[in-house]
Amino acid sequence: MSATAARGSWGERLAALHYRRDGYRVVERNWACRHGEIDLIVGRAGVIVFCEVKTRARHSHGGPVAAVGPDKQRRLRRAAEEWIQVRRP
């Protein structure tokens, strides 16, 4: 595993731990579809959170928020919509 992949995996584990401590349960990790991948899907009391995890070694290219521009947001939204359609009873 590359250093970048290991850092990303570590960040996803840390994010999942954070959500668990806040009372969420992890529903899915790294769920993929034709629109892309959702790193973490968590739920609590009828609320589902679709989480894009960005773990950066340094902020020279901007912080994690800068890495999720309009195109990425659109793909995440479409992936979330597909997840809801697939999971709807």
Side-chain angles (χ1 to χ4, degrees), residues 7-22 24 26 29 39-40 42 51-55:
R7 185 178 303 109
S9 181
W10 174 81
E12 289 175 10
R13 286 192 310 273
L14 190 63
L17 178 61
H18 169 78
Y19 277 110
R20 275 195 219 100
R21 287 181 178 164
D22 282 348
Y24 289 86
V26 174
R29 288 178 188 252
D39 295 328
L40 196 56
V42 298
C51 183
E52 173 70 12
V53 179
K54 291 294 182 190
T55 310

Side-chain angles (χ1 to χ4, degrees), residues 66-80:
V68 186
D71 289 338
K72 179 68 172 178
Q73 290 174 30
R74 192 170 23 263
R75 286 191 305 274
L76 287 168
R77 191 169 32 257
R78 287 179 180 153

Side-chain angles (χ1 to χ4, degrees), residues 15-86:
L17 178 61
H18 169 78
Y19 277 110
R20 275 195 219 100
R21 287 181 178 164
D22 282 348
Y24 289 86
R25 70 179 180 85
V26 174
V27 176
E28 301 247 12
R29 288 178 188 252
N30 303 312
W31 186 80
C33 69
R34 61 192 167 129
H35 301 293
E37 180 183 73
I38 301 173
D39 295 328
L40 196 56
I41 303 171
V42 298
R44 171 177 80 179
V47 173
I48 298 292
V49 176
F50 300 93
C51 183
E52 173 70 12
V53 179
K54 291 294 182 190
T55 310
R56 296 269 175 111
R58 52 184 103 57
H59 292 283
S60 59
H61 291 32
V65 173
V68 186
D71 289 338
K72 179 68 172 178
Q73 290 174 30
R74 192 170 23 263
R75 286 191 305 274
L76 287 168
R77 191 169 32 257
R78 287 179 180 153
E81 290 168 354
E82 185 166 331
W83 184 89
I84 290 167
Q85 289 297 318
V86 169

